[in-house]
Every structure is written in C-alpha cells, then in structure tokens.
Amino acid sequence: MSDQAGDRLKAEFNQWALAGKGESMARHHRAIAERTLERMKIATGDRVLDLGCGSGWACRMLAPAVGPRGLVVGVDISDEMIREAQQNPENPPNTRFLCSPAEHIPWAPDFFTHVLSVESFYYYEDQRVVLDELKRLLIPDGKIFLLICLFTESPGSREWVERLQVPVHVRSAKEYKQLLTDAGWRSVAVERFTPAPGDDDPHAHALLITARK
Ligand SMILES: C[S@@+](CC[C@H](N)C(=O)[O-])C[C@H]1O[C@@H](n2cnc3c(N)ncnc32)[C@H](O)[C@@H]1O
C-alpha cells in the first residue's frame, strides 16, 4: 500500500473514531458477526486475528470462545480506533490490540488459527497483498472469514460508495471467489446473508467469504 493511501485511511477512520462511529458500527455489524461466529467453530486455546477491528467489540465477543489459554488480537490502521479499543474497561485478559496496516502486521508467522474481518476488506488498496500476509500469519489449514456489506449485488452499494471519502473495491461474489482462488486459498466459499423480514438495516445484506490456507 502506498504511504498516501495508508495516511488517507488512517485520517478517515481516526475521524470516524472521534465521531463515535466505533460503537455505532458495533450495533450495525453484531448480528452478521454472530452468524459468522457460529460458522467459525472456535475451540478453547484458538488464536484469532480480528483484522480491521475498529473499537474492538468483536474481539470482546470472541474472547470467551477461545478461553484463557487462547488469544484474540485486534489490528487496525487507525490509532484512534486502537486507543478506543485498548481503553475499553471490559477487555478480557486474553485480548490484545495493535495499530498496523493489514498489509504488514508485525506478528510471528504460523500463529493464528482463524482470521475474522468485519466490514474492512474492501478498503484494502491491494487485497492480494493482504491475502498473502494472512497466509503468512495463519497456521497450516488455518481459516479466514471475511465479512463484507459492500459488494456488487448489495442493494444501495452505489450510493454508499458515493458517500465514502476513501476509495473502495466493489466486487461481486463471483469475483471474490476468483480472487481468493487465484491467490492459492483452498475450500473457497461465498455465502450471502440476507435480512430477516422487516429488517431494513442495509448491513443485514452481507457476503461471508471463507477459505482455508
Ligand atoms: C467500517 S470499519 C469496521 C470496523 C470493525 N470491524 C467493526 O465492524 O466495527 C473498517 C475498519 O477497517 C480499518 N482499516 C481500513 N483499512 C485498513 C488497512 N489497510 N489496514 C488495517 N485496518 C484498516 C479502519 O481503520 C476501520 O476501523
């Protein structure tokens, strides 16, 4: 990622953090994250990376599942989001937060059993570089769970892109499947979440992209 792109993302999401959006995102994204957690089949002792963790709410949600022998690490490019995450008094002892771009994460290779990323992957300038970095960090057979609400088939995605102040990728489910397959991931699958009747939150439309190292 260019320095310019990194600075722009950091500045934008620092503003989001200062405007209190860390907590409002938690409200909007929790339901789809809970559905994803059911599919992650986490066991005690697992080590989970939450990529683009924002205020850290998903790390706190994952922590009981990995238990005291496990670890949940939240990574985000925004230092304000990480500050908010670190200062949360409800952080369990098996959580850590790190300010870093997704492209180069200062962590040992072959460490994580799972990667979860909620509503962050489409902001990454070079998604292929991030996919390679995740492969470095995962144990053999480790799994990724990329959850996104901005994709070609999602209603309202065009208006959403127009409102955003940073560039994003808008790909279809088929294109995401191809991207991960071309990057050498195995068992690539894309599941579409749709809203329950009466749910008008646009975040109820989501793609869950899963794959194995
Ligand atoms: C829409 S927010 C979602 C935050 C959180 N996952 C949630 O659901 O509340 C996207 C997050 O991705 C982070 N992000 C964007 N680009 C990033 C990058 N290249 N590396 C690391 N984090 C990034 C942003 O700072 C922001 O916190």
Side-chain angles (χ1 to χ4, degrees):
M1 179 173 56
S2 63
D3 289 349
Q4 204 183 13
D7 290 348
R8 201 166 159 192
L9 283 165
K10 185 173 183 159
E12 177 66 10
F13 286 104
N14 276 350
Q15 273 188 31
W16 284 38
L18 294 170
K21 288 198 184 181
E23 276 318 302
S24 62
M25 288 192 290
R27 283 196 301 281
H28 288 299
H29 303 161
R30 186 175 294 276
I32 53 173
E34 281 173 354
R35 286 178 75 176
T36 303
L37 182 59
E38 286 166 18
R39 288 152 177 77
M40 289 175 77
K41 301 201 185 333
I42 290 175
T44 54
D46 280 347
R47 299 172 298 282
V48 185
L49 171 65
D50 176 9
L51 190 60
C53 65
S55 65
W57 61 271
C59 296
R60 290 182 282 279
M61 181 183 89
L62 289 159
V66 303
R69 289 189 303 108
L71 185 67
V72 184
V73 179
V75 165
D76 202 287
I77 199 166
S78 155
D79 47 342
E80 287 296 339
M81 287 287 186
I82 290 296
R83 199 168 57 86
E84 187 178 330
Q86 282 170 335
Q87 289 180 351
N88 192 304
E90 290 172 14
N91 284 332
N94 59 353
T95 51
R96 304 276 184 283
F97 296 99
L98 187 66
C99 185
S100 166
E103 290 74 5
H104 300 286
I105 299 173
W107 203 274
D110 295 335
F111 181 83
F112 293 102
T113 56
H114 301 73
V115 176
L116 170 67
S117 182
V118 183
E119 270 289 85
S120 187
F121 191 65
Y122 54 80
Y123 291 107
Y124 306 156
E125 185 181 44
D126 190 338
Q127 293 175 313
R128 176 63 191 261
V129 170
V130 176
L131 288 171
D132 290 347
E133 176 66 343
L134 296 181
K135 253 196 209 160
R136 184 186 73 78
L137 294 169
L138 278 171
I139 61 165
D141 218 33
K143 292 181 205 144
I144 53 174
F145 296 79
L146 309 175
L147 194 48
I148 59 171
C149 300
L150 187 60
F151 53 101
T152 311
E153 301 90 336
S154 168
S157 61
R158 191 188 296 171
E159 296 91 274
W160 197 350
V161 171
E162 282 165 9
R163 287 205 309 271
L164 285 167
Q165 303 297 314
V166 284
V168 286
H169 296 279
V170 187
R171 300 187 194 273
S172 65
K174 195 172 161 195
E175 286 165 342
Y176 270 116
K177 192 162 185 185
Q178 195 62 52
L179 178 75
L180 270 79
T181 305
D182 290 347
W185 291 80
R186 298 181 299 125
S187 311
V188 181
V190 181
E191 183 180 358
R192 177 122 180 232
F193 291 167
T194 49
D199 182 355
D200 58 2
D201 187 336
H203 297 93
H205 291 273
L207 288 185
L208 173 61
I209 305 152
T210 57
R212 250 172 226 281
K213 175 172 163 179

